[in-house]
Amino acid sequence: MPDILYSAAPLVAPSILSADFAHLADALVELESAGADWIHVDVMDGHFVPNLTLGPPVIECLRNASNLPFDVHLMIERPELSIADYRAAGADSITVHTEACTHLNRVIHQIKETGARAGVSLNPATPISALEEVLDIVDLILVMSVNPGFGGQSFIESSLDKIARIKQMIGTRPIFIEVDGGISPKNAAQVRQAGAQVLVSGSAVFHAKTGFKPVIDALRQPCG
Ligand code: DX5
Ligand code: ZN
């Protein structure tokens, strides 16, 4: 599994939810040559969120189209039933929602036992206290800055304070803080200044008139 290095420089994880689903493999090749660090794969089951996207069979087909780490975001009920399938399909990190896990500690261990990085995601209204008891076992925290289910939504401004409070809570633990939803070059510096190391961006990347690379570079611009 490609090692995901903890790095001070921001990582950019374009979300393929905004891609043309008829040409996903081509999009991966283009994203890789445009300098993306991770591929953010949004899995939605139509129950946990009101949208339905893709699952392990599609991820398995895409695995051969890219060497980039697959950062799989499970917006699904009962994720514990399919962790092994997502890992087998090629997921490098697997993120579950606290709101979908009755036994979050057990699911995190289940993910780590597959060799994947274990991520935990919080919806905008979920308090950071939901993270308290898993900080010593989780590898990644995905902060939702929109209500999950769709791309192209507006960034929820209160996320900035939430990111900063999570950063403080983490202390020196080697945990990635990833932020997801409404991220563009307009707010990337603020989001990074608040404490994010990984930026997910879907519509800002895929709807850019300039092609992928200028947007990905702009998302990485040093804070002002
Ligand atoms: C929303 C997904 C996000 C979304 C980001 O439920 O988890 O990853 O695709 O798309 P933008 O950047 O357009 O908000
Ligand atoms: Zn996502």
Side-chain angles (χ1 to χ4, degrees):
M1 176 182 80
D3 190 20
I4 302 174
L5 295 177
Y6 179 82
S7 117
L11 300 176
V12 175
S15 158
I16 56 173
L17 181 68
S18 297
D20 174 353
F21 272 34
H23 300 283
L24 281 176
D26 300 336
L28 291 190
V29 173
E30 264 186 75
L31 286 169
E32 188 160 355
S33 53
D37 295 291
W38 298 356
I39 299 292
H40 186 78
V41 183
D42 285 312
V43 177
M44 301 180 184
D45 64 0
H47 297 281
F48 182 71
V49 290
N51 197 356
L52 183 64
T53 55
L54 49 85
V58 175
I59 293 172
E60 191 173 353
C61 291
L62 294 175
R63 183 65 277 178
N64 300 326
S66 174
N67 298 314
L68 293 182
F70 281 6
D71 169 40
V72 175
H73 177 192
L74 296 182
M75 287 161 276
I76 65 175
E77 299 288 357
R78 307 292 309 277
E80 69 277 9
L81 301 178
S82 49
I83 298 295
D85 298 336
Y86 285 99
R87 177 62 176 158
D92 293 285
S93 64
I94 299 174
T95 296
V96 296
H97 271 260
T98 58
E99 306 87 355
C101 296
T102 309
H103 303 289
L104 183 59
N105 177 292
R106 181 184 290 151
V107 177
I108 292 170
H109 285 299
Q110 187 184 352
I111 297 170
K112 295 178 79 148
E113 280 154 21
T114 69
R117 288 289 191 290
V120 164
S121 185
L122 298 180
N123 283 333
T126 303
I128 68 171
S129 56
L131 299 169
E132 275 170 12
E133 304 305 327
V134 297
L135 288 177
D136 290 326
I137 57 173
V138 76
D139 300 311
L140 180 148
I141 293 170
L142 180 65
V143 182
M144 292 310 297
S145 39
V146 295
N147 288 297
F150 301 94
Q153 301 180 80
S154 303
F155 180 80
I156 296 172
E157 290 299 328
S158 59
S159 308
L160 292 171
D161 173 64
K162 187 174 187 179
I163 295 161
R165 283 184 284 118
I166 289 173
K167 174 113 180 107
Q168 191 166 29
M169 181 189 231
I170 286 175
T172 54
R173 296 178 180 89
I175 299 174
F176 284 105
I177 300 177
E178 183 177 19
V179 183
D180 186 6
I183 304 285
S184 77
K186 290 195 200 78
N187 58 19
Q190 276 182 292
V191 174
R192 286 182 9 231
Q193 233 148 15
Q197 286 113 9
V198 188
L199 303 181
V200 177
S201 184
S203 47
V205 171
F206 281 94
H207 300 168
K209 305 237 178 330
T210 59
F212 296 157
K213 183 157 180 23
V215 184
I216 291 172
D217 291 346
L219 289 166
R220 273 204 197 94
Q221 276 312 308
C223 303

